[in-house]
Amino acid sequence: MASLAVHSKKHKVCIVGSGNWGTTIAKVVAENTQQHADIFESEVQMWVFQEQVHIPKDNRHYKSASDQPQNLTEIINSVHENVKYLPDIPLPHNIVANPDLVAAVKDATILVFNLPHQFIAKICQQLQGHIVPHARGISCIKGLAVSDEGCELFSERIGHELGIYCGALSGANIATEVAQEKFSETTVAYAPPEMDSRHPTPSGTPLPDAKGEEIDMKILSDGVQAGKKKLTPLPADYPPLHHGNMKKLFHRPYFHVYLVNDVAGVSLGGALKNIVALAAGFVSGLGWGDNAKAAVMRVGIMEEVKFGKMFFGSSVKTETFTEQSCGVADLITSCSGGRNFRCARMAVEEGKAIGVIEERELNGQSLQGTSTAYEVNSFLRKEGKEKEFPLFTAVYEILEGRHRPEEIPDLLNAGG
């Protein structure tokens, strides 16, 4: 039975990042904070890395005065459009672009991280000591953090650095299509800390997920520690952040959300599929057709599952990869029209380095697949497991120039 409790405070949301996908998520969230005014404050702060930009002449907001460069935040707040990273998409007026990171996150209880993964360490450092201790996070960052200590999810890194619980959002979500309100699905992984639920379970009791399965509380406790610091409970005067309210934050008629507890699986699906998309782009650039691409995708999803279970344990569910949008659906989309696929295909077709294509095609944004391929290979090499992941290893070797895309069949066969 639904609770009739009325809470005296509402959740304030901040989007940390404002690229193509970050601005799209800000649009989705801002629509929902207006709709669910009993749970969320309407205003959504969006942190924007300040840039001087020109409004393009073919943009509906162009005027002769636009020939002078302007601050991107001022453009967004005046015309309600991110003319550089999400052009021609009207944004809700309750989005406030803010160039000051600390000011943007002030009093925010929900932080949605959506920026290139190479910047997350610096951002977390800047945020330390400036967020409310009971804040909760959602990472939309597709990548892996690899260091001498091992392989870490960005949801974990954010949680550890900031002392907060952090879930993950990932799916078959080409940003522009979502922004244009074309139907799509996504997966949100959020295992609500028991202290945040409306009816807390006894300490140590597993929590059921949306399908009634149990999650390992040890995994949850790992995710809510920051060194020796324990998770600060969400105060009782805020609405609880269970699956139902998290769904209200992201679900739209055109953007369907499915909640699970497998944060590691959702994060890995979003990261590793970018490596597979590069391989699919390579074989497509060779003109080998759909059969070759399907073969690469089949091997790729098997390696995703294997990587998750081998290095992140029993909390990773096979069905996260085979049934959810963050798994098989994201893989299909990324290997059909995603930026990693397109740039890899053009690199082969034009005989150019993928970095050249990236610089030409992405308007200052970065490919996630290349950096993830390097980081994953570094980790696998350290673990002595390169041969057990022949597709991931082949992509790295091709990027390094040690093998050619034409050698992919032999490289996959060499892995057994």
Side-chain angles (χ1 to χ4, degrees):
M1 180 180 295
S3 170
L4 298 179
V6 176
H7 297 273
S8 60
K9 293 185 178 180
K10 300 177 184 180
H11 290 288
K12 182 177 180 180
V13 186
C14 176
I15 311 297
V16 182
S18 57
N20 184 240
W21 186 218
T23 305
T24 297
I25 285 295
K27 173 183 181 295
V28 168
V29 166
E31 290 170 357
N32 281 328
T33 59
Q34 288 180 314
Q35 181 175 338
H36 301 289
D38 57 325
I39 302 171
F40 308 107
E41 292 185 14
S42 176
E43 181 182 284
V44 173
Q45 289 277 322
M46 179 174 71
W47 174 67
V48 177
F49 178 77
Q50 191 70 286
E51 300 177 66
Q52 292 276 304
V53 302
H54 292 86
I55 297 179
K57 291 185 177 180
D58 59 353
N59 187 281
R60 62 198 172 101
H61 299 294
Y62 175 79
K63 299 176 182 178
S64 58
S66 301
D67 289 333
Q68 296 299 317
Q70 303 173 61
N71 287 332
L72 180 56
T73 53
E74 294 172 5
I75 295 174
I76 293 172
N77 289 332
S78 61
V79 304
H80 305 289
E81 179 181 317
N82 189 333
V83 298
K84 180 171 184 179
Y85 296 114
L86 195 65
D88 304 318
I89 300 295
L91 299 177
H93 288 205
N94 57 320
I95 293 176
V96 176
N98 194 331
D100 186 325
L101 178 62
V102 171
V105 302
K106 180 176 171 56
D107 298 326
T109 54
I110 301 176
L111 306 173
V112 182
F113 294 86
N114 203 327
L115 67 166
H117 72 258
Q118 56 266 36
F119 301 121
I120 195 63
K122 181 179 179 181
I123 292 299
C124 284
Q125 289 176 355
Q126 293 175 334
L127 288 179
Q128 287 176 356
H130 297 289
I131 63 173
V132 295
H134 52 270
R136 301 291 179 257
I138 293 287
S139 170
C140 302
I141 303 165
K142 297 184 176 182
L144 292 169
V146 176
S147 66
D148 292 340
E149 286 74 37
C151 186
E152 186 179 32
L153 308 175
F154 282 106
S155 54
E156 291 178 331
R157 171 164 287 188
I158 291 167
H160 293 164
E161 292 291 330
L162 300 180
I164 65 175
Y165 175 75
C166 188
L169 180 152
S170 185
N173 306 140
I174 293 176
T176 302
E177 293 183 9
V178 176
Q180 292 171 343
E181 302 188 6
K182 297 178 179 179
F183 171 66
S184 63
E185 299 178 323
T186 200
T187 310
V188 172
Y190 194 84
E194 61 181 275
M195 63 184 71
D196 288 0
S197 67
R198 194 181 298 276
H199 301 290
T201 57
S203 178
T205 302
L207 291 170
D209 72 5
K211 292 184 178 179
E213 298 171 352
E214 292 184 345
I215 62 169
D216 184 348
M217 291 304 294
K218 180 178 182 298
I219 301 299
L220 178 59
S221 66
D222 287 345
V224 300
Q225 298 286 335
K228 299 292 184 182
K229 236 163 86 175
K230 298 237 178 221
L231 180 69
T232 300
L234 184 68
D237 47 2
Y238 284 94
L241 290 179
H242 47 45
H243 279 189
N245 283 345
M246 272 298 174
K247 184 169 184 175
K248 289 178 180 177
L249 184 62
F250 294 105
H251 186 91
R252 299 297 297 156
Y254 58 88
F255 189 61
H256 285 196
V257 171
Y258 296 89
L259 271 292
V260 299
N261 281 336
D262 184 3
V263 178
V266 170
S267 300
L268 289 171
L272 299 176
K273 57 91 182 182
N274 287 323
I275 305 177
V276 185
L278 291 176
F282 291 148
V283 299
S284 182
L286 292 168
W288 284 0
D290 291 335
N291 291 342
K293 188 165 71 171
V296 163
M297 293 165 65
R298 182 195 68 82
V299 175
I301 203 162
M302 289 177 62
E303 291 194 11
E304 289 183 24
V305 173
K306 184 176 182 178
F307 189 96
K309 289 185 174 295
M310 182 177 291
F311 300 115
F312 289 87
S314 60
S315 68
V316 174
K317 308 298 183 185
T318 299
E319 56 266 30
T320 302
F321 298 91
T322 59
E323 298 179 12
Q324 288 292 329
S325 181
C326 63
V328 62
D330 196 8
L331 187 72
I332 293 169
T333 297
S334 299
C335 293
S336 301
R339 64 178 63 171
N340 293 281
F341 170 79
R342 290 187 288 105
C343 288
R345 182 188 63 201
M346 286 187 282
V348 174
E349 290 174 340
E350 300 178 25
K352 296 179 179 178
I354 197 168
V356 174
I357 304 297
E358 176 185 26
E359 184 175 353
R360 185 186 76 196
E361 297 290 326
L362 297 188
N363 194 28
Q365 298 191 86
S366 301
L367 287 177
Q368 299 297 297
T370 51
S371 54
T372 302
Y374 275 88
E375 290 167 351
V376 166
N377 183 265
S378 173
F379 176 70
L380 291 176
R381 187 166 61 248
K382 180 182 177 182
E383 296 290 321
K385 301 290 186 181
E386 283 180 288
K387 291 183 179 179
E388 295 194 39
F389 296 87
L391 180 65
F392 294 168
T393 301
V395 170
Y396 167 78
E397 296 284 354
I398 290 168
L399 292 173
E400 278 287 276
R402 296 173 187 166
H403 288 286
R404 296 174 295 114
E406 291 87 344
E407 298 176 75
I408 285 178
D410 290 337
L411 295 172
L412 296 186
N413 192 54

